[in-house]
Amino acid sequence: MRNAEKSITVCFAGNPNCGKTTLFNALTGARHKVGNWPGVTVERIEGTIRCEGMSARLLDTPGIYSLTSYSIEEQVTSRCLAEDNVEVIVNVADASALERSLYLTLQLLKLKKPMILALNMMDLAEERGIHIDCERLSTMLGHISVIPVSAKNRTGLDALTDAVFDRRRYRRPDSVAFREEYSYAEKIVHECVSRRPDREAGEESLCFTDRADRLLTHEIWGVPIFFGIMALVFFLTFSVGDFFKEYLEEAFAVFLQAARSFLKQTGTDPRLISLVTDGIFAGVGGILLFLPNLVILFFALAILEDSGYMARIAWLMNETMGLAGLSGKAFLPMVLGFGCSVPAVLAARTLDNEADRKKTIAAVPFMSCSARLPVYVLFSGIFFKDYAAPAAYSMYVIGLAAAVAAARILHVARKDGSEQALLIELPEYRSPDACTVLLSVRERVREYLMKAGTTIFLASVILWFLMNMGPSGFAEHATDSFAAALGKLLVPVLRPAGLGNWQTAVALLSGVLAKEAIVSGFAVLYGIPDINLPAGMAKLERILTESGFTFVNAYALMIFCLLYTPCIAAIAAVKKETGSTGFTAGMIIFQLLAAWIAAVIVYQAGSLIF
């Protein structure tokens, strides 16, 4: 009889790209990131399923190829599997490439724990005319349960769930002669796997992958194609994003006017009206208007991830990363940095040694995260007009160059003479799964909205109070406020970079909370709640132009925003991952100096030329 009191602990383990996390999500309804490169799951993730009064605690571990425990991801998985409370292991294998998965399977059997083999991607195996004799496979693996499933098509999930909850099937694998894993894996495939001779469709995807890789991973054309693809992504981010943004702008303008009128009609104190409209609405509302641009960016990156192209980028950038003493695998966390620096810092765990991890972590914050995009959109739109997209795109190229340079500087400073080799699986190109892509976009949008409703809200309120309060109480003029006093302290330092007014200094200071807060800061500091509407942008342009602010200053500002100290959340992630206050402080100081020097060079050189 099943025990309804006790929760079963089940550990998922498998190779990268076997669909393990997709299967985990399908069973638990969880919403975890799925990607086609090693290390997306950088720590174990928990979920729960229930069936007929029983519950099972599922642990999703990083994808690994063996239990040798060289990298952090292997160590996490090995520790999880060794825990006494893990009652059963669900080994997820790629049914379309079974031999590759069996090496880990045979290692897991040596742990002598009850195990279920989930043959995932059965739909792909069938397309290729591959037949697997599950009964014979079970026998050769010590009579463990073998369950064919397809996480993508949601088939076989009930059978797998039943196997998880059926304790009668919790049997330890029988002793089998698999001391030599590779030779025994070949024997299993020879006896259990056959291909129907009438089916050639299975070779089509392989042939397509080979043909595509001849061009996309070409030693000469591969890198230009990558930059061309990213240029197209940012062109769509601006063109398509701005199209939808216009509708949001109109809605926001109507909402802002209605809110202001309502507050006035109810006799609300003018200072409270200012807080709501010039503080909260200007800060949070201004950030939300960039959502269409960000959705396009998130959508494009999700497609590149799910198609299998991202792993190729690591391969392409292997030689470039070698200049910093790193392998191309270190470029994967940097690519994640285009989205957010926090998961990018965490993804550095996939690297094999502490020195590589620290070099990568030091480089990641230079990658232009999505939080900086609102700054680029605003200032390039105002000062570069028809050339806004190229101006913004240049930030991503410069950020990549700065990231490699930062890793190189740390490499030389530490006198690390080691050479890094790249060993990475290049998955087949696949049609992006609509559910996976939409899930990825939804999660990133949710995180952005949560930040707008928390960090940006708080920053906007704080800035409003700093703008409207001074040593003698409520400030009649902005120049008498605490914000002005604070900004004026920074003006002498920022003036050589063309950022010599106190409002800009305060806005940049607020960016330490979140980079989006820079736009919110300008909206609050200049009292432009509709800063992203045509009228608001025109007003900001007029104010800045009258103070001598030109496109050269704007580009210097964008450079400074790109390179200076990351947000509080990223700083906390760096401290947690490195465990070093000194390293974290050194990284902050280094980035501040790099941002200041680069902005000074851009402004001074630009002023001489233009």
Side-chain angles (χ1 to χ4, degrees), residues 64-118:
I64 60 172
Y65 292 103
S66 70
L67 298 177
T68 50
S69 298
Y70 291 132
S71 67
I72 286 183
E73 52 194 350
E74 289 173 342
Q75 294 171 16
V76 169
T77 300
S78 297
R79 286 198 301 268
C80 183
L81 292 168
E83 290 180 0
D84 293 335
N85 64 339
V86 172
E87 299 176 62
V88 63
I89 298 170
V90 174
N91 173 217
V92 183
D94 181 355
S96 66
L98 186 59
E99 184 175 355
R100 183 182 62 197
S101 299
L102 283 175
Y103 177 64
L104 176 62
T105 301
L106 297 174
Q107 285 196 329
L108 294 173
L109 288 173
K110 291 182 178 181
L111 297 177
K112 295 296 183 182
K113 286 193 173 186
M115 192 166 98
I116 298 170
L117 178 62

Side-chain angles (χ1 to χ4, degrees), residues 70-273:
Y70 291 132
S71 67
I72 286 183
E73 52 194 350
E74 289 173 342
Q75 294 171 16
V76 169
T77 300
S78 297
R79 286 198 301 268
C80 183
L81 292 168
E83 290 180 0
D84 293 335
N85 64 339
V86 172
E87 299 176 62
V88 63
I89 298 170
V90 174
N91 173 217
V92 183
D94 181 355
S96 66
L98 186 59
E99 184 175 355
R100 183 182 62 197
S101 299
L102 283 175
Y103 177 64
L104 176 62
T105 301
L106 297 174
Q107 285 196 329
L108 294 173
L109 288 173
K110 291 182 178 181
L111 297 177
K112 295 296 183 182
K113 286 193 173 186
M115 192 166 98
I116 298 170
L117 178 62
L119 293 178
N120 195 22
M121 301 187 185
M122 285 298 295
D123 55 324
L124 185 59
E126 290 172 1
E127 286 178 10
R128 296 178 178 176
I130 297 174
H131 173 72
I132 299 176
D133 186 342
C134 294
E135 185 176 345
R136 177 60 181 159
L137 179 59
S138 173
T139 301
M140 296 190 73
L141 293 176
H143 296 95
I144 64 172
S145 295
V146 176
I147 312 294
V149 298
S150 171
K152 181 178 180 180
N153 295 337
R154 305 298 194 267
T155 59
L157 301 184
D158 290 340
L160 181 58
T161 301
D162 289 341
V164 167
F165 284 104
D166 191 349
R167 290 180 179 272
R168 292 170 298 181
R169 301 169 77 170
Y170 282 19
R171 57 177 299 158
R172 297 178 186 276
D174 297 338
S175 297
V176 290
F178 49 75
R179 293 182 179 178
E180 296 296 329
E181 285 88 354
Y182 288 115
S183 60
Y184 193 68
E186 292 176 357
K187 182 179 179 181
I188 291 174
V189 171
H190 178 73
E191 295 191 22
C192 302
V193 181
S194 60
R195 185 186 296 272
R196 294 196 299 274
D198 60 320
R199 292 295 301 272
E200 298 296 335
E203 301 299 329
E204 292 180 4
S205 62
L206 291 172
C207 293
F208 174 77
T209 294
D210 291 340
R211 290 195 301 269
D213 276 345
R214 290 193 189 104
L215 179 63
L216 296 178
T217 62
H218 191 275
E219 59 181 3
I220 295 176
W221 300 112
V223 173
I225 288 174
F226 162 62
F227 283 108
I229 290 173
M230 295 308 297
L232 176 61
V233 166
F234 292 108
F235 170 76
L236 293 175
T237 296
F238 274 78
S239 59
V240 180
D242 285 347
F243 172 78
F244 289 103
K245 181 183 171 187
E246 291 178 5
Y247 294 98
L248 272 184
E249 289 174 346
E250 293 175 4
F252 181 71
V254 172
F255 174 78
L256 183 63
Q257 183 60 39
R260 197 188 302 272
S261 299
F262 174 77
L263 291 173
K264 287 182 178 179
Q265 290 173 4
T266 56
T268 305
D269 186 281
R271 286 176 289 190
L272 183 57
I273 294 177

Side-chain angles (χ1 to χ4, degrees), residues 304-385:
L304 293 178
E305 292 170 7
D306 205 49
S307 66
Y309 181 63
M310 283 301 192
R312 270 79 183 174
I313 298 176
W315 176 262
L316 286 171
M317 298 302 294
N318 186 50
E319 186 172 345
T320 301
M321 297 306 297
L323 298 175
L326 295 167
S327 75
K329 190 177 180 181
F331 191 65
L332 297 177
M334 295 185 188
V335 172
L336 287 179
F338 284 135
C340 177
S341 296
V342 175
V345 168
L346 298 180
R349 297 178 183 179
T350 62
L351 302 179
D352 295 332
N353 59 72
E354 187 68 19
D356 289 352
R357 284 191 286 274
K358 285 192 173 181
K359 283 186 285 187
T360 304
I361 287 172
V364 159
F366 286 105
M367 302 298 287
S368 191
C369 68
S370 60
R372 294 176 170 96
L373 184 61
V375 182
Y376 306 155
V377 173
L378 179 64
F379 283 92
S380 63
I382 291 176
F383 290 96
F384 292 91
K385 309 296 182 184

Side-chain angles (χ1 to χ4, degrees), residues 51-68:
C51 180
E52 297 182 7
M54 296 188 66
S55 66
R57 173 172 165 255
L58 307 187
L59 307 177
D60 182 27
T61 57
I64 60 172
Y65 292 103
S66 70
L67 298 177
T68 50

Side-chain angles (χ1 to χ4, degrees), residues 331-480:
F331 191 65
L332 297 177
M334 295 185 188
V335 172
L336 287 179
F338 284 135
C340 177
S341 296
V342 175
V345 168
L346 298 180
R349 297 178 183 179
T350 62
L351 302 179
D352 295 332
N353 59 72
E354 187 68 19
D356 289 352
R357 284 191 286 274
K358 285 192 173 181
K359 283 186 285 187
T360 304
I361 287 172
V364 159
F366 286 105
M367 302 298 287
S368 191
C369 68
S370 60
R372 294 176 170 96
L373 184 61
V375 182
Y376 306 155
V377 173
L378 179 64
F379 283 92
S380 63
I382 291 176
F383 290 96
F384 292 91
K385 309 296 182 184
D386 294 337
Y387 300 97
Y393 177 60
S394 68
M395 294 297 106
Y396 292 84
V397 178
I398 293 171
L400 174 58
V404 175
R408 177 62 186 177
I409 291 172
L410 193 58
H411 178 73
V412 173
R414 290 174 172 268
K415 299 180 180 180
D416 182 1
S418 61
E419 295 184 1
Q420 303 298 323
L422 174 65
L423 179 62
I424 187 173
E425 176 187 358
L426 299 182
E428 295 175 34
Y429 290 106
R430 303 167 184 163
S431 267
D433 178 58
C435 291
T436 300
V437 170
L438 293 176
L439 182 63
S440 176
V441 173
R442 185 176 74 173
E443 286 304 295
R444 289 177 175 179
V445 169
R446 183 183 65 84
E447 291 171 2
Y448 183 77
L449 292 177
M450 287 181 62
K451 186 184 288 186
T454 54
T455 306
I456 305 302
F457 175 86
L458 179 62
S460 300
V461 172
I462 292 174
L463 272 177
W464 185 89
F465 275 102
L466 289 175
M467 272 289 297
N468 289 274
M469 300 298 293
S472 57
F474 194 83
E476 294 294 332
H477 302 285
T479 52
D480 300 325

